[in-house]
Amino acid sequence: KAGVTQTPRYLIKTRGQQVTLSCSPISGHRSVSWYQQTPGQGLQFLFEYFSETQRNKGNFPGRFSGRQFSNSRSEMNVSTLELGDSALYLCASRLTGETGELFFGEGSRLTVL
Amino acid sequence: GNSVTQMEGPVTLSEEAFLTINCTYTATGYPSLFWYVQYPGEGLQLLLKATKADDKGSNKGFEATYRKETTSFHLEKGSVQVSDSAVYFCALENKAAGNKLTFGGGTRVLVKP
């Protein structure tokens, strides 16, 4: 059974640009969450989607957005990139929106220059 | 709100030594508690979990007991191996907060042969 797949794995952008990251959850999983991991702030929750609806959102500015498609694949977008957006972005999926094991992808490492 | 505090690392041990990583939490209601592990270059993997007070989670020789009276979920392993070198994250999930994971800052463990 394939795990959570995130693309791209690595990318470099410059300030002011925008970026789109993609996440394919485990087959059958309907909930997808996104987390940002940085050395200074640790792991912080961005948002969660379930059946194409955003169920929960963390304390990030509106530049961070996401969506989920009917096949449960998810994308997150960061517009007007800032240096502080450099981070590892982790996607996680689980079967339903209720409590249960989260399966994480390997992450997309974004560097903003 | 919810918060998780865990001991800072790095923790450096010799093979076969005893490992303890302290974790305490603050939460409303009755959260579920987790330990996740992140090996170099990989995403997070669930190591163990406990969903109610006095539950003991265990996996791969690691154990942690949900102590509501001390709001703690300390991770222990009796005899570590070089392959246990990783970053360990304590986390909680609370339905009152929308089922998102709140992570501690992570503890890097280095086991030397």
Side-chain angles (χ1 to χ4, degrees), chain A residues 1-61:
Chain A
K1 193 175 187 181
V4 177
T5 305
Q6 293 187 243
T7 57
R9 290 291 313 279
Y10 303 91
L11 65 167
I12 300 173
K13 294 286 187 178
T14 57
R15 278 181 297 175
Q17 288 187 311
Q18 71 152 12
V19 67
T20 299
L21 308 178
S22 180
C23 172
S24 293
I26 291 172
S27 178
H29 285 194
R30 296 169 61 192
S31 169
V32 174
S33 301
W34 290 87
Y35 289 82
Q36 182 197 62
Q37 186 177 21
T38 60
Q41 299 298 317
L43 280 154
Q44 293 187 289
F45 173 77
L46 280 157
F47 25 66
E48 181 196 9
Y49 288 87
F50 179 75
S51 293
E52 302 179 66
T53 301
Q54 187 181 87
R55 287 165 53 100
N56 206 350
K57 190 176 191 302
N59 296 323
F60 280 82

Side-chain angles (χ1 to χ4, degrees), chain B residues 2-84:
Chain B
N2 297 329
S3 67
V4 177
T5 302
Q6 62 181 106
M7 58 190 289
E8 290 190 21
V11 174
T12 303
L13 303 163
S14 297
E15 216 167 13
E16 298 184 4
F18 184 86
L19 170 68
T20 298
I21 304 176
N22 290 339
C23 170
T24 57
Y25 68 89
T26 302
T28 54
Y30 303 93
S32 295
L33 301 174
F34 305 83
W35 278 100
Y36 279 82
V37 59
Q38 187 175 33
Y39 298 104
E42 300 184 11
L44 276 70
Q45 301 175 26
L46 179 65
L47 182 58
L48 53 83
K49 68 178 181 181
T51 57
K52 60 183 187 297
D54 300 325
D55 267 2
K56 177 186 282 188
S58 61
N59 186 24
K60 299 181 181 180
F62 290 89
E63 292 183 340
T65 300
Y66 188 150
R67 301 285 189 201
K68 192 165 175 62
E69 64 275 14
T70 54
T71 61
S72 65
F73 193 55
H74 304 322
L75 182 68
E76 297 181 336
K77 185 174 185 182
S79 177
V80 293
Q81 305 300 312
V82 172
S83 57
D84 293 324

Side-chain angles (χ1 to χ4, degrees), chain A residues 13-20 61-65 77-86 89 110 112-113:
Chain A
K13 294 286 187 178
T14 57
R15 278 181 297 175
Q17 288 187 311
Q18 71 152 12
V19 67
T20 299
R63 300 184 297 106
F64 291 80
S65 63
N77 184 278
V78 187
S79 62
T80 319
L81 285 166
E82 300 176 0
L83 296 178
D85 297 333
S86 295
Y89 291 88
L110 169 65
V112 182
L113 303 176

